[in-house]
Structure formats: structure tokens, C-alpha cells
Amino acid sequence: MKTRRHDNHISIPVESEDAERKNAILLQYIKEKVNQLLQIMGTKPLRDEELNDESLIAIDPIGIIAESFEQVLEHLKESNRQLQLARDYLQAVFDTAGVGISIIDRDLRIIKCNEKQKELLVAGVSHIEGKHCYEVYCGIDSPPLICPAIETLEMERPVFLKEVTKKGRVFQIVTSPLRDSAGTITGVIEVSLDMTEKKRAEEAMCQAEKLAAVGQLAAGIAHEINNPLGNILGYAKLLLMDQSITEAQGEKLKVIVEQANKGGQIIKGLLEFSRQKVPVFEKVSLNECVENALRSLGKGNSIRVVKRLGDIPYVMADPRQMEQVFHNILLNAIQALEGSGAIEIESKVIGGSIEVSVRDSGPGIPREHLSRIFEPFFTTKPVGNGTGLGLSICSELVKKHGGSIFVESEIGGGTTFSIIIPIGR
Amino acid sequence: MENETVINLDVISLDIRGQICPACLLISLKEINKHKGLLRNGEANLIVRTDHRDATRTIPDAAVAMGYAVSVEKKKGYYEITVGRKDEDQKA
């Protein structure tokens, strides 16, 4: 068919045959376009009898469909706006959720994950999307033997893992199948709840309960042993006063007295540890407590003590207990130095607290011992030379003052104990 | 054309029995366009009566694309197509 493009303004000259031919072409064009529009609207084309020009113009199909399209577009725009809104809400919920959420596809690639998930497991990694979840989350090259995501994909049901350790953190994980509108599983939604703190708290609780039991037992035994020990000491001293014993017997008696005294010291330590003495708070200068502790340890040997006691405010504390803390820590430092070296004592204000640090130039504490040194009865000294209670008493007392105690040590680099006591108490 | 429009409180009735496609759709669309404001606000429903079976597909399809809620009910000898606002508290 010979086609001719029509002009923008339509005039209908009826005089000439040429004009009629032109009109017929134009009308055909309009009909075609109307039918095209009707097809888009999903209905049938105009019938022949409807194709005469007058009724066609009377119905105004192009006008009607144009107006309808306007409504379709309005509806689309509004739908888009609402979708965007829903998307924004969903994204906000997704990102502010207290749990890590990941959407993973059938190939175990991460499609999307929320901010919490990134914070928990992928700090510092960019472009997580598209990577395998086991690489990014578990830090391994192939899927692990026990993987809730794989199980969910295979069994087509949610899977719950009570405890999984990933990158040093403990998680509870729930995976649920992600289905498309046809019900086919296209991936997995994995929700990770960080249990690390809870787990630590539970372990600490368990430890504390164990210690309390041990403490009570120790106190009971100590008390019972104290009486016979007192008798041994008393009778040995009586015998020592007896003029009829030989010098050799006297020497042996002195050993008995000495050993009984040592036993008494151990028992005293045990009782101090187990006796939950409530601190009597008063205005205290921690600098004075340090000075008193130093005085009680006396001078002697060649240990140099450097004091850098700052201008620190008073705190509310039990002076005798604080003195005992510094005494134990200083004693520990002196023993670590084994006769030569230096101890630095520093006190200063840090934020709302006072920090007193005691640094010795001793051999340092091995890493495997560091985490245990505040445990009661933990000692590296030969049997009979220490009860392993000194530092655990310190730790208990500092805790009772709302403070904390830290240790930093390096083999060959000395050891620093820091005691932090809040000023506000 | 003998289709009549009656505005009866919140019901706009359109009787196009006897009409077939594509006129059915065009007339219905024209009516929807005309009462756009009322229909969008939920102040009125448009009830189209038709006996042309194809129209029970074309009219709802077009109206849904335009963002309306549509229901079709079979009556004795004709269909009743209701077009109204799309939301939760729309009248049945």
C-alpha cells in the first residue's frame, strides 16, 4: 500500500478527487491507530460498520483512550510512590533490626544483607553482594559441613542452630526458605542473633558460682585447721622456752614454729578471700593508700621505686581495703623482680575515674597465664610459697568499689597493673 | 446510542446491554473518565450492566490498570460490573 504521511492540520477539501483520495488515506491511518490503541486496551478492533467516519468521530475513541491512559499513568505513579514508601520503611526496619539478616540465593551467594549483619561479621569488607556467604561470614573457602542455609535449601524448611561460632563470635541462627510467587524456593533468609555477650555473661556467672562454692569450702576448712595449728604453734613455743632441750632440738622446734606461722598466713589469706567484707566508704586519698602500702612493705633489697603520684581528687572508698589492694599488687611486683629492678607507680585522673598503675621491670607474665591470674588459687610460685589468692582478693575488692583492674604484660617487657576507681562513688 | 446514565446517591449506573466490543469498553471508559473525581474519592461506584461476555474481561482489565477495584457479578441475563475506589474500606 502506498503510504503518505498526513499533515498536522487536517482540512477536508471535497472538490477534487485527489483530495478525496487524501482523505481516505488519512481516515485509514486514523482507523489503524484507533485499532492499535484498542488492541493495547485488550479489546477487539472496530467493526466495519463502526468504521464510517462520522460515528468514529462521534465516539471519540482516541480521546477516551487518551484520558484512560492518563488515569493508568496516574495509577502507576501512585503505585510507584507507595512502593517506594514501602521499600523505604522495609529498608529502615531491615537496617535497624537488632539481628543480622541476609538474603542468600541457591548458590549461597549473598543477595542482600542489613547493616547489623555487616557490623557483626563483615566489618571493613566492601561489595559483599554476589560473594559466597561462607567466604564472607565464615571465612572459609567451601561450605561448612553443618550449614543451616544448605539444610534449608535441601529440606525446604526452616532450620534453627542454637550455637554457632563464627569469627570468634557466638550466634544463634535461623534460616527460612525464600519463595517466589509460584512457591519455588529461590533462596534463604538467614537471621543471626549475636549471643557473644550473653554467653560470656553466662560463663562468668558459672565461674562466680564455682568460686563462691570453693570460697565457702575453703573458709570452712581454714577455720577448722586454724585451731589445731594454733595449738601446734603454742606448744612448740612452750617447748622452746623449756631449758632442758638440746640446741639441735631447738632448731627443729624453730622450723615447726616457722612452718606453723606460714600455715597461719595461708589460712589468713583464705579467710580474707572468703569473708565477704563490705567496704566502709569514706573520703580517701588513693595516693595516701599507695604510700601506706609502700611503708608496710618496708625497704630493703635493691628495688628502685619511682612514684609519679598526680594531683588526684578524693574518692569514696574503704582505705584499709584499698591499701590491701596496693599492698598485694606491690608485693607481687617485688616478688616478680626477684631482688633487682624498678617499680613505677603512677596515679592520674582519666575521665570520671582515677587510674593507679603499678609497673614492674620484671620478666613478664606468659600469655596463657594472663587470663587466669585473677582466679583464686592460681599461682606460678612453688608449692608453699603462695596461696594464689593475692590478686583475686585485689580483683574482688576493686569490683566492690565499682572499679576495675587490668593487667598488661609482655615476656621480657615487664608487667603493668592498672586499677581504676570511679571518682563519683 | 441508548445507554443511559443515572447518578443515584453514590451509584452511577451505566446500562450498555446490547452493545458489543469494542464499543462496550469505550463507553465504559468514557464514563469512568467522566466521573474520575467521584470514583477516585470513593464517593461513588460505577455499575455497568452488560450482556456481552467479552466485556467482563476487557472492562475489569482496563479499570484495574487505571487503579480501580472491580468486581463482576452474574445476574439473570446480564453481568454487573462494579468499578470503585481501591482501598481496604471499599464498599462491597
Side-chain angles (χ1 to χ4, degrees):
Chain A
M1 190 185 75
K2 194 181 165 193
T3 53
R4 279 173 68 178
R5 288 278 150 219
H6 62 90
D7 298 319
N8 271 340
H9 66 98
I10 300 166
S11 57
I12 311 174
V14 285
E15 290 85 14
S16 66
E17 265 181 41
D18 185 46
E20 265 184 41
R21 206 165 49 81
K22 258 190 193 167
N23 277 347
I25 291 167
L26 288 180
L27 202 62
Q28 184 58 35
Y29 173 78
I30 293 170
K31 281 171 191 165
E32 273 175 21
K33 290 296 144 187
V34 167
N35 281 338
Q36 195 183 342
L37 285 172
L38 287 170
Q39 210 185 340
I40 293 173
M41 293 306 282
T43 188
K44 288 178 176 159
L46 291 163
R47 271 163 289 117
D48 279 343
E49 67 266 27
E50 287 173 315
L51 290 181
N52 74 72
D53 48 352
E54 271 169 42
S55 68
L56 184 60
I57 290 166
I59 293 177
D60 184 25
I62 298 177
I64 292 172
I65 294 174
E67 265 188 66
S68 298
F69 272 163
E70 200 185 316
Q71 291 204 54
V72 172
L73 284 178
E74 274 173 22
H75 172 56
L76 273 180
K77 245 191 239 168
E78 176 60 20
S79 298
N80 269 341
R81 200 184 63 82
Q82 283 179 4
L83 270 179
Q84 185 61 43
L85 207 66
R87 220 184 106 108
D88 289 349
Y89 286 154
L90 213 61
Q91 187 68 39
V93 172
F94 191 61
D95 277 338
T96 50
V99 291
I101 307 172
S102 299
I103 302 171
I104 298 165
D105 72 9
R106 295 200 67 102
D107 299 326
L108 300 177
R109 287 180 194 278
I110 300 162
I111 299 172
K112 201 174 161 66
C113 81
N114 70 344
E115 289 300 315
K116 184 74 182 176
Q117 178 78 25
K118 288 182 194 169
E119 183 191 312
L120 289 173
L121 279 169
V122 280
V125 181
S126 54
H127 306 301
I128 295 153
E129 284 82 6
K131 288 185 179 158
H132 285 122
C133 59
Y134 49 82
E135 283 171 42
V136 179
Y137 297 155
C138 307
I140 48 179
D141 294 335
S142 55
L145 281 177
I146 300 170
C147 172
I150 294 175
E151 205 178 324
T152 289
L153 285 171
E154 283 173 358
M155 311 297 285
E156 307 203 338
R157 58 171 172 79
V159 173
F160 172 70
L161 276 191
K162 196 161 175 271
E163 208 180 297
V164 189
T165 305
K166 287 182 181 182
K167 299 189 175 177
R169 300 191 79 87
V170 182
F171 294 96
Q172 253 178 23
I173 294 182
V174 183
T175 50
S176 315
L178 179 68
R179 293 176 195 270
D180 64 11
S181 50
T184 314
I185 294 176
T186 56
V188 174
I189 298 172
E190 182 171 300
V191 177
S192 307
L193 178 60
D194 186 9
M195 303 291 290
T196 315
E197 296 308 317
K198 205 179 164 216
K199 179 102 179 135
R200 268 186 207 149
E202 272 172 13
E203 276 169 5
M205 188 69 152
C206 190
Q207 180 78 352
E209 276 170 10
K210 256 195 266 174
L211 291 185
V214 170
Q216 269 183 340
L217 182 72
I221 293 171
H223 198 77
E224 292 304 318
I225 291 175
N226 218 10
N227 289 335
L229 203 61
N231 286 339
I232 292 170
L233 195 61
Y235 281 102
K237 281 181 176 168
L238 274 176
L239 266 178
L240 266 177
M241 284 186 277
D242 197 327
Q243 302 294 323
S244 64
I245 59 168
T246 66
E247 202 176 316
Q249 285 171 329
E251 287 303 315
K252 282 170 188 159
L253 276 172
K254 273 180 194 160
V255 174
I256 292 175
V257 170
E258 198 184 295
Q259 290 302 315
N261 272 328
K262 210 173 221 175
Q265 283 299 315
I266 293 171
I267 282 164
K268 203 179 144 205
L270 271 175
L271 287 173
E272 260 170 22
F273 171 72
S274 58
R275 229 181 273 145
Q276 300 290 318
K277 254 199 230 160
V278 180
V280 183
F281 288 105
E282 56 185 86
K283 252 167 88 176
V284 171
S285 157
L286 289 182
N287 285 347
E288 253 175 56
C289 293
V290 170
E291 298 278 11
N292 288 343
L294 274 174
R295 240 190 315 272
S296 72
L297 287 163
K299 285 170 202 147
N301 46 46
S302 56
I303 292 170
R304 200 158 52 89
V305 177
V306 181
K307 286 183 284 183
R308 278 200 293 271
L309 302 180
D311 186 13
I312 53 171
Y314 288 102
V315 292
M316 291 307 285
D318 184 317
R320 277 153 298 278
Q321 292 190 352
M322 289 319 296
E323 235 177 86
Q324 196 188 352
V325 168
F326 296 127
H327 177 98
N328 286 357
I329 292 209
L330 285 165
L331 187 65
N332 226 60
I334 291 167
Q335 286 168 345
L337 289 174
E338 287 174 341
S340 67
I343 295 175
E344 287 172 40
I345 309 169
E346 190 181 357
S347 64
K348 59 183 179 228
V349 177
I350 291 184
S353 303
I354 289 172
E355 180 187 294
V356 180
S357 56
V358 176
R359 180 180 164 71
D360 67 61
S361 60
I365 302 166
R367 181 175 282 274
E368 63 268 28
H369 291 164
L370 265 186
S371 59
R372 302 192 55 198
I373 57 166
F374 295 114
E375 279 178 24
F377 309 111
F378 179 79
T379 179
T380 55
K381 289 170 196 152
V383 176
N385 283 347
T387 55
L389 285 171
L391 288 175
S392 68
I393 290 173
C394 287
S395 171
E396 286 299 312
L397 291 180
V398 169
K399 267 186 219 158
K400 276 186 197 160
H401 283 75
S404 38
I405 184 162
F406 301 99
V407 60
E408 269 176 78
S409 186
E410 218 177 289
I411 296 294
T415 303
T416 307
F417 281 91
S418 308
I419 295 123
I420 292 168
I421 301 288
I423 296 170
R425 274 184 77 102
Chain B
M1 277 169 226
E2 70 252 58
N3 42 45
E4 52 171 295
T5 304
V6 180
I7 298 186
N8 180 11
L9 290 172
D10 59 351
V11 174
I12 304 159
S13 295
L14 178 66
D15 196 337
I16 50 167
R17 278 177 284 189
Q19 296 270 11
I20 59 165
C21 279
C24 277
L25 177 66
L26 288 173
I27 295 162
S28 302
L29 287 181
K30 192 176 179 181
E31 207 61 21
I32 294 173
N33 293 338
K34 198 167 107 191
H35 302 293
K36 185 177 119 180
L38 289 174
L39 293 174
R40 282 261 192 255
N41 290 336
E43 287 168 35
N45 281 348
L46 173 70
I47 293 178
V48 181
R49 287 184 182 88
T50 176
D51 48 13
H52 182 56
R53 201 161 175 272
D54 278 2
T56 60
R57 179 184 58 82
T58 56
I59 296 173
D61 279 2
V64 165
M66 287 154 78
Y68 295 102
V70 186
S71 62
V72 182
E73 220 180 305
K74 194 172 178 356
K75 300 271 181 187
K76 251 187 192 166
Y78 66 94
Y79 300 95
E80 210 172 75
I81 304 171
T82 308
V83 178
R85 186 161 87 156
K86 189 175 158 183
D87 57 24
E88 288 73 25
D89 44 35
Q90 193 224 328
K91 286 174 193 110

